[in-house]
């Protein structure tokens, strides 16, 4: 039985019901005086509670897909096969050496989670687009991470067959999953609707989790002697996607967004790697990374620890380091979320050539209903920052040919406020 299967939920629920029934039935026998009877009562209560909690946890995990397998739950993470390298001759259209596969670094994955997501495009891909379930293999880190990739209808249309597309990478929070991004944040559904109505240019959406070493929360940090999350998301992921899909090769075509800890990660990736991501959308982020029980020691010890801690403190970076030429959007509710003062401080600290925009609704909570309400405005704003069209696939590329990309446009520092469509409060 898979960890996320309904069978597992039903079995654990049945076991919980049996334990409760046995506890009620056998309690009179445990009611006598004596050490044995006291220990029996404690054991019966303990076992029953553990089974009930396990049943509830299985139901919750099945609904939100925090952990996709038993191996992930117990910390056994899949790693890349030894010797995996970049595929040789890339055709730039999703084929490798003429074979219709994704290549060495992006491979097909099970559709089990994808089939549970509602509202995904169906029918002809050239009309409605398509969402693919894949696994991304990190060439440098050896990480294997599941992902959903939304390809817009234009990706499959003849008129765009040589065209590359901008990319927005969407990151889940902790301990969230790509299922949460697709089902509850509705990334591909929202992007598809915006693109169909002309409010967003055709864009490839990549849904992936930053938790590459579950159950540990690595917060998009390269942990000394541990998981190299920043390297995977800033180097391995873009390289893998460029090898398998027709996506832009210039940083001006790449954005990253997320919610909660995924939002913090989006800001970190963009401000620390402006040559990879030039746009970030952060829904309810934190502005510094710190150790907690879920992260363990993220920064190691020794003389370099202070520098590593400061390097992941965005306010410290704005005060002490050159400001990157990037555009970021931050979202935080004025009432109902704790990070509003920190968000205002961050907005005030941004200076040229960096640009900042904000979504600051009056009311909201740290949950999916709030983020879903903010998503259309965030996606529209992000998409306006990305350059399109990008470099094109040459008609007859020669081996070793480098296709030039458009240079990144320069921008002055501008502060704007984007307000999502208000919804009535009952």
């Amino acid at each position: 039985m898979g960890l996320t299967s309904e069978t597992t939920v039903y079995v654990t629920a049945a076991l919980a019901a049996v334990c409760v029934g046995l506890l009620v039935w056998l309690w009179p026998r445990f009611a006598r005086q004596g050490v044995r009877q006291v220990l029996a009562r404690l054991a019966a209560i303990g076992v029953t509670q553990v089974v009930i909690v396990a049943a509830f946890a299985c139901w919750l995990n099945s609904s939100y897909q925090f952990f996709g397998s038993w191996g992930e739950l117990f910390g056994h993470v899949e790693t890349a096969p030894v010797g995996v390298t970049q595929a040789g001759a890339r055709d730039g259209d999703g084929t490798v050496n003429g074979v219709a596969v994704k290549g060495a670094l992006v491979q097909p994955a099970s559709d089990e989670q994808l089939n549970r997501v509602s509202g995904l495009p169906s029918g002809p891909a050239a009309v409605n687009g398509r969402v693919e379930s894949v696994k991304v293999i990190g060439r440098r880190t050896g990480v294997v991470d599941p992902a959903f990739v939304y390809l817009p209808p234009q990706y499959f249309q003849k008129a765009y067959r040589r065209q590359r597309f901008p990319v927005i990478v969407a990151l889940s929070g902790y301990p969230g999953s790509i299922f949460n991004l697709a089902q509850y944040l509705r990334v591909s559904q929202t992007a598809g609707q915006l693109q169909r109505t002309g409010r967003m240019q055709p864009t490839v959406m990549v849904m992936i989790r930053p938790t590459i070493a579950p159950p540990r929360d690595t917060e998009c940090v390269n942990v000394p002697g541990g998981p190299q999350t920043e390297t995977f998301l800033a180097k391995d992921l873009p390289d893998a996607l460029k090898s398998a899909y027709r996506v832009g090769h210039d940083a001006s075509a790449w954005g990253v967004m997320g919610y909660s800890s995924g939002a913090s990660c989006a800001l970190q990736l963009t401000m620390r790697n402006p040559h990879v991501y030039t746009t970030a959308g952060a829904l309810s982020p934190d502005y510094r990374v710190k150790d907690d029980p879920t992260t363990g020691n993220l920064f190691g010890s020794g003389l370099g620890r202070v520098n590593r801690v400061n390097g992941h403190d965005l306010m410290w970076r704005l005060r002490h380091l050159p400001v990157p030429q990037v555009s970021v959007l931050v979202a935080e509710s004025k009432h109902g979320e704790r990070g509003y003062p920190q968000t205002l401080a961050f907005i005030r600290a941004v200076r040229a050539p960096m640009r900042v925009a904000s979504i600051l609704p009056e009311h909201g909570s740290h949950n999916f209903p709030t983020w879903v309400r903010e998503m259309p405005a965030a996606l529209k704003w992000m998409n306006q920052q990305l350059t399109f069209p990008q470099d094109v696939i040459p008609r007859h590329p020669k081996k070793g040919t480098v296709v030039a990309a458009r240079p990144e446009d320069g921008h002055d520092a501008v502060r704007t406020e984007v307000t999502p469509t208000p919804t009535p409060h009952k």
Side-chain angles (χ1 to χ4, degrees):
M1 295 182 296
L3 179 60
T4 61
S5 70
E6 292 185 356
T7 302
T8 301
V9 176
Y10 293 146
V11 168
T12 53
L15 286 175
V18 169
C19 286
V20 171
L22 288 174
L23 179 64
V24 174
W25 179 262
L26 297 176
W27 191 258
R29 299 186 182 182
F30 301 150
R32 301 171 186 172
Q33 298 296 323
V35 176
R36 281 188 174 183
Q37 286 73 18
V38 171
L39 293 177
R41 289 197 293 271
L42 292 174
I45 293 172
V47 169
T48 301
Q49 289 183 334
V50 167
V51 176
I52 291 174
V53 170
F56 178 76
C58 285
W59 169 79
L60 193 65
N61 187 71
S62 180
S63 299
Y64 290 94
Q65 305 282 310
F66 297 126
F67 300 99
S69 67
W70 294 104
E72 285 187 11
L73 180 64
F74 293 108
H76 304 302
V77 184
E78 183 183 6
T79 57
V82 175
V84 171
T85 57
Q86 179 61 46
R90 298 194 304 273
D91 301 321
D93 60 352
T95 66
V96 179
N97 294 325
V99 181
V101 297
K102 289 303 173 194
L105 303 180
V106 178
Q107 299 178 3
S110 168
D111 288 337
E112 179 182 351
Q113 290 192 77
L114 194 61
N115 291 336
R116 300 179 59 190
V117 178
S118 61
L120 295 180
S122 59
V127 177
N128 301 315
R130 185 169 73 200
V131 179
E132 299 183 341
S133 178
V134 300
K135 56 182 178 181
V136 178
I137 300 174
R139 180 168 58 85
R140 299 169 183 81
T141 59
V143 169
V144 179
D145 211 20
F148 294 151
V149 179
Y150 166 76
L151 302 171
Q154 291 82 355
Y155 190 91
F156 304 96
Q157 295 172 5
K158 187 176 181 180
Y160 291 82
R161 67 184 181 277
R162 295 177 53 241
Q163 183 69 57
R164 297 190 189 276
F165 292 81
V167 182
I168 294 179
V169 175
L171 302 174
S172 65
Y174 176 83
S177 68
I178 56 176
F179 178 81
N180 290 352
L181 290 166
Q183 176 67 14
Y184 298 109
L185 196 60
R186 306 193 71 75
V187 170
S188 57
Q189 299 90 323
T190 304
Q193 176 64 25
L194 291 173
Q195 293 176 37
R196 282 192 299 273
T197 56
R199 291 176 289 170
M200 182 176 174
Q201 61 189 348
T203 303
V204 173
M205 305 293 300
V206 180
M207 292 159 272
I208 198 164
R209 60 181 187 179
T211 308
I212 66 171
R216 186 179 185 182
D217 179 13
T218 52
E219 290 280 347
C220 290
V221 172
N222 281 344
V223 181
Q228 302 295 289
T229 311
E230 184 175 19
T231 296
F232 175 75
L233 292 171
K235 296 181 178 180
D236 285 346
L237 177 62
D239 284 354
L241 294 172
K242 291 172 185 177
S243 76
Y245 296 100
R246 298 197 318 275
V247 294
H249 284 195
D250 189 75
S252 62
W254 286 73
V256 57
M257 71 175 303
Y259 66 89
S260 191
S261 62
S264 307
C265 185
L267 290 177
Q268 295 275 343
L269 286 172
T270 302
M271 292 181 64
R272 290 173 57 86
N273 302 275
H275 59 288
V276 180
Y277 300 103
T278 56
T279 303
L283 310 181
S284 306
D286 289 322
Y287 300 96
R288 63 186 291 253
V289 176
K290 54 186 177 180
D291 294 341
D292 64 36
T294 66
T295 65
N297 185 353
L298 291 175
F299 303 106
S301 57
L303 297 177
R305 176 178 170 83
V306 173
N307 289 335
R308 288 190 288 270
V309 171
N310 288 338
H312 287 277
D313 183 335
L314 300 184
M315 296 298 292
W316 184 92
R317 295 184 69 89
L318 288 173
R319 289 192 299 266
H320 296 94
L321 297 180
V323 177
Q325 186 171 322
V326 296
S327 301
V328 301
L329 178 145
V330 291
E332 194 83 24
S333 301
K334 297 179 181 179
H335 305 284
E337 293 191 89
R338 295 181 298 177
Y340 184 70
Q342 291 79 12
T343 294
L344 291 183
F346 177 82
I347 293 171
R348 288 192 293 265
V350 171
R351 63 187 188 277
M354 185 173 171
R355 302 195 309 166
V356 62
S358 60
I359 298 176
L360 305 172
E362 284 292 329
H363 299 277
S365 300
H366 199 81
N367 57 25
F368 283 111
T370 297
W371 300 324
V372 167
R373 187 160 58 102
E374 297 166 346
M375 271 290 288
L379 283 178
K380 286 166 57 181
W381 179 88
M382 289 187 68
N383 201 241
Q384 291 168 0
Q385 316 310 310
L386 303 178
T387 57
F388 184 97
Q390 284 296 311
D391 44 344
V392 298
I393 305 295
R395 293 183 184 277
H396 303 289
K398 297 180 181 180
K399 189 174 182 180
T401 299
V402 176
V403 182
R406 287 176 56 184
E408 181 180 336
D409 296 327
H411 300 287
D412 295 324
V414 177
R415 295 182 182 176
T416 61
E417 179 165 328
V418 182
T419 304
T421 304
T423 55
H425 296 278
K426 297 182 179 180

